[in-house]
Each structure stands twice: as structure tokens, then as C-alpha cells.
Amino acid sequence: MENTSRSTRECSGKEGCDHVELAKRIINGNIRAASRLIRDLEDDVLQAKETLKHIYPHTGRAQVIGITGSPGAGKSTITDELVSAFREKENKVAVLAVDPSSPFSGGAILGDRIRMQRHASDPDVFIRSLATRGALGGLSNAVGSAIHILDAMGKDRILVETVGVGQQEVDVINHAHTVIVVLVPGMGDDIQAIKAGIMEVADIFVINKAHRDGTRRLQKELLSLLDLKGECPGEWKPPVILVDDVLNKDTFNENIATLCRTIEDHHQHLVRTRLLEKKLEKKAVVEILGVLRSSILGPIVKELQATGEFDDMVSRVMKRQNDPYTLVEEVKGNFLRNGKG
Ligand SMILES: Nc1nc2c(ncn2[C@@H]2O[C@H](COP(=O)(O)OP(=O)(O)OP(=O)(O)O)[C@@H](O)[C@H]2O)c(=O)[nH]1
Ligand SMILES: [Mg+2]
């Protein structure tokens, strides 16, 4: 209901609902237009899809870099520094801070904005946070679409920051071409990382706050884990980069420069080995399945919820009056016959 009223309000507003016009403004790099569409994605406004259709042909150019790691590992600090490094090369940059845990934008993300304040006046740096309020397409879908918006705006590099915890975050980070996992010594990060399956998605490891005790131990553990995995000739072995205390400006900057070069090397590797093509193919599959799920399953679920049938199904399954298989078969049959649940 909330979504419908919101879309109606926007369409009758003075900005109108001309998707072509909104798409054009985004393609021209208009920050307000892009922000509005990202907000609509968060709110699961149906019309957002119409605008996305128009911007899609203008996407596929940007390099997407994912940054993940435990809370407080230093992801935003490193992201902020990467933004500066990319700006020195005159790249247009976007940062998407994804907060899966928060039902509202703000909180930790607000901290990120403050931390990245020095880029606030740069028109070629666009920083946005993304939280979803239970979008049917799921967070990963919303992130994929937000990346398309930033890409269509003409950004050369898109940095996606997320806290690496569970499967949802792994799905989010899989939108990136290159994934950086930030670890900190002395936090039991190694164990957490393996548990969360983050090891599998890492292309580059960063040990941040490398002035701390335990850095060498963590580095050794990581390297032996990577050795255990083994590697085929020509395969990318994720390098482990140490990043010194942000207060040791000179070494910190040097370390960030190494990180930038490694990101470049990884990108070249993806292109050379045609892994980039494979990644893009996988992304297309995931994207189609996600849209299928939200456009076919979404309306059925909404209808069942609106009529109270969904609650009824839950209660029947709980009391073992019905099994979910039979119930879903009935829903499917009704839907195919009548076009509704
Ligand atoms: N001393 C020191 N502090 C650091 C360093 N890197 C980050 N910090 C501090 O650690 C805190 C967390 O850093 P962030 O960059 O916000 O970490 P994050 O991983 O983005 O945190 P979340 O987004 O909240 O998960 C901040 O107070 C930083 O100033 C470092 O190298 N040395
Ligand atoms: Mg952060």
C-alpha cells in the first residue's frame, strides 16, 4: 500500500513521472535524479523499473570494486583513500555503502558520510548509502540496480562497501569485479572470514592497522590458507597487502598506492583470462533470475498477503493441516488459471 501511494504521489508531482526524462537526467550525471531513483529502489517503487529499462543500454562501462570486512575494520577509511587516488587519475567515482542490517539509511552509514566529507564538494564523487526496507527483489537485486544507475551516470569506478557477515553480503559483494577483504589483526578475523565464506570471494586481502601486534601472524595464517587452496598455473592468487596506521601518512599512502596497482593488476588479469566475461555472464544469469523472482513471485505474494490467504497458509502449515507443497501447487494452479493467486 505504502509503495502504491508513494508512486502515485511521485507521478502526480510537479516532476511528473516521465521515465525517459528521468533516465536522461541520470545519464547526464544529474545527482538529484540518480538519488531519487536509488531511493525508489530502496522503497521498492514499481515504476523504478521503467526508468531502469531506459538507462540499461548506458551501463556496463564502470569498474566495480567491492570492499568488505568486519565492522570497524577500516573499510570506509580505505574507501575514502581509494576515492582520492582515483580522483588523482581524474576518474569519476561513486561509493555505494550498503547496510543490510539497517531498516533505515543513517546510523553507521551516516558515519561514512562524515568520514568522506572531504569529497563532498567534488561533483565527480557521488556517495550514497543503500538500505532496503524489505524489498521483494532482495538487497542484492537493489544493489545491482543501484550499480547500473551509478554506471549510467558515467562513473568510471564504483566502490561498494558492505559488512561481510553472511550469505546476503556475499551475494551483494558478488556484484563487484574485484573484491577486497579488509581484516584487522587481533580480532579473530581469520576464523570469521572463513566461516562467512568470505575467503572464497576475496581477490585481494588487506590487513589494515598493520602497525598492531598480530599482523605477521594473521598474514602467515592467511598465506597458508591460500596455499592450502592450491592454485592452477595462471590462476590469480589473492595477494595480502599490509596497510599501515592511517596516522603514518607516508607509509599509509604508499600502501594505498600498492592497493591501487593491485586492483589494476587484478582487472588486467580478468580481461586477459576472459574471466571478466564469465563473471558478467554469471551476473546476467543472477540478474535475470532476480527479476523473474520479483516480477513473478512478487505479485503473487503481495496478493496472498493482501487477501489474508498467506497468513491462512502459514497457520495451516503450522497445524499440519496442510503441507506447503500442496498449498503452493494450489496457488500456482489458481494463478495460471485466473492470472491471480
Ligand atoms: N589508528 C587507526 N585507526 C583507524 C585506522 N583505520 C581506521 N581507523 C579507525 O577505525 C574506526 C573504524 O574505521 P572505518 O573506516 O569506519 O571502518 P569500517 O570498516 O568502514 O566500519 P563500519 O562501516 O562501521 O563497519 C574509525 O574510527 C577509524 O578512524 C588505522 O589505520 N589506524
Ligand atoms: Mg564503513
Side-chain angles (χ1 to χ4, degrees), residues 70-77 115 161 163 208-209 211 244-246:
S70 317
K75 301 177 294 292
S76 301
T77 309
R115 220 154 282 145
E161 177 189 333
V163 180
N208 193 38
K209 309 185 189 180
H211 58 291
D244 197 1
D245 194 335
V246 70

Side-chain angles (χ1 to χ4, degrees), residues 165-186:
V165 187
Q167 186 56 47
Q168 191 174 222
E169 292 73 26
V170 171
D171 290 344
V172 165
I173 215 70
N174 270 332
H175 285 287
H177 303 147
T178 297
V179 176
I180 303 168
V181 173
V182 184
L183 302 173
V184 192

Side-chain angles (χ1 to χ4, degrees), residues 45 59 79 89 121 146 206 229 254 282 286 309 329 332:
V45 173
T59 63
T79 301
K89 296 181 190 182
S121 59
V206 164
K229 246 181 84 184
E254 232 172 78
K282 200 172 142 200
V286 171
E309 278 175 86
E329 266 170 22
K332 193 170 135 191

